[in-house]
């Protein structure tokens, strides 16, 4: 195989970069606009049935979806979170929002419908075992190994294909929120002992935001 010339290498790098949405542009203004249009809703917590089943696909990219996303941004900010899935406010739809920094402190803001996380080749699977928390398991934290790089593919609010890549903390967020829409909480990936400890932390803590009781 012949060595690529520098012009070809630059062209291929630019083509690869253009595959991914730049969700850092006007991040603060976009998040603020969503949040100010929305209304904060209480957060569902572990045990609520909507959190423990796969959510329904988004098929209507309409004003109702836009209003839901606005409410999700408002709810995320009220709960001081960095990501929120629709089922965390009781809505059975495959959409999540995020306002999350990566490990370089760069702010990413967006919404993804019908998300799927790419399977990584073995050489890209470098695990990060940092602590993880969840608005639906309030006041609890546990170490959970996840790949430190993720590509999430889905659709934007108009139904157009979109792909987002994340590293470090932001990669964890993309994986965590996609798990939610598949019916899994992060504590479902823990050992029995660590899951029990996380639930104990939740039982002993007091959420700083409104939650929906599991009656």
């Amino acid at each position: 195989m012949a060595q690529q010339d520098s012009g070809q290498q630059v062209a291929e790098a630019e083509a690869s970069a253009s595959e991914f949405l730049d969700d850092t542009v006007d991040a603060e203004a976009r998040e603020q606009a969503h949040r100010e249009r929305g209304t904060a809703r209480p957060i569902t917590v572990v045990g609520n049935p909507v959190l423990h089943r796969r959510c329904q696909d988004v098929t209507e990219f309409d004003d109702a979806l836009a209003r839901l996303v606005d409410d999700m941004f408002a709810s995320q900010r009220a709960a001081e979170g960095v990501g929120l899935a629709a089922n965390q406010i009781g809505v059975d739809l495959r959409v999540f929002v995020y306002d999350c920094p990566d490990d370089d402190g760069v702010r990413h803001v967006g919404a993804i419908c019908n998300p799927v996380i790419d399977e990584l080749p073995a050489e890209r699977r470098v695990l990060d075992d940092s602590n993880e928390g969840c608005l639906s398991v309030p006041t609890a934290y546990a170490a959970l190994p996840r790949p430190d790089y993720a590509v999430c593919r889905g659709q934007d609010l108009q139904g157009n294909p979109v792909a987002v890549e994340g590293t470090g903390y932001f990669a964890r967020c993309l994986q965590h929120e996609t798990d939610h829409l598949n019916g899994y909480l992060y504590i479902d990936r823990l050992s029995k002992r660590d899951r029990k400890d996380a639930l104990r932390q939740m039982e002993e803590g007091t959420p700083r935001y409104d939650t929906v009781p599991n009656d």
Side-chain angles (χ1 to χ4, degrees):
M1 181 180 293
Q3 181 176 351
Q4 296 176 336
D5 62 41
S6 60
Q8 183 180 357
Q9 290 175 329
V10 169
E12 290 191 358
E14 290 177 346
S16 176
S18 67
E19 176 185 7
F20 299 111
L21 173 70
D22 186 353
D23 54 8
T24 66
V25 175
D26 296 326
E28 181 177 0
R30 289 186 293 108
E31 187 276 337
Q32 182 176 352
H34 281 298
R35 171 169 44 89
E36 290 182 349
R37 290 192 299 263
T39 300
R41 307 191 200 180
I43 305 296
T44 56
V45 297
V46 57
N48 189 302
V50 74
L51 294 174
H52 302 284
R53 59 174 182 262
R54 187 185 188 277
C55 291
Q56 298 294 312
D57 289 345
V58 175
T59 58
E60 300 291 334
F61 298 87
D62 54 11
D63 290 345
L65 177 64
R67 289 193 298 271
L68 169 63
V69 166
D70 289 343
D71 285 357
M72 290 171 67
F73 272 106
S75 303
Q76 174 178 255
R77 175 57 70 95
E80 301 178 10
V82 297
L84 187 76
N87 55 355
Q88 291 185 273
I89 57 169
V91 178
D92 186 9
L93 276 180
R94 292 183 64 78
V95 55
F96 72 80
V97 303
Y98 57 88
D99 178 8
C100 184
D102 59 27
D103 281 1
D104 293 323
V106 177
R107 184 177 183 179
H108 299 261
V109 170
I112 302 178
C113 303
N114 304 321
V116 176
I117 298 292
D118 279 5
E119 288 288 338
L120 295 178
E123 62 270 17
R124 293 303 303 268
R125 285 185 60 84
V126 177
L127 294 182
D128 170 14
D129 61 356
S130 297
N131 267 8
E132 190 160 325
C134 179
L135 298 179
S136 291
V137 193
T139 73
Y141 296 89
L144 177 63
R146 288 193 190 265
D148 69 353
Y149 174 76
V151 173
C152 185
R153 301 182 191 276
Q155 293 166 282
D156 65 17
L157 299 186
Q158 289 72 48
N160 302 309
V162 65
V164 174
E165 67 173 343
T167 59
Y169 187 50
F170 182 42
R172 180 176 295 274
C173 175
L174 294 173
Q175 295 168 83
H176 178 110
E177 301 307 329
T178 300
D179 269 358
H180 268 303
L181 301 178
N182 291 328
Y184 297 102
L185 300 172
Y186 85 97
I187 60 173
D188 296 328
R189 294 185 177 274
L190 300 176
S191 67
K192 289 182 178 179
R193 183 182 66 181
D194 289 345
R195 177 188 169 91
K196 183 177 180 180
D197 181 65
L199 292 174
R200 177 193 56 76
Q201 293 178 52
M202 175 180 164
E203 182 69 22
E204 294 176 353
T206 301
R208 61 184 182 275
Y209 43 83
D210 291 337
T211 61
V212 178
N214 291 330
D215 295 329

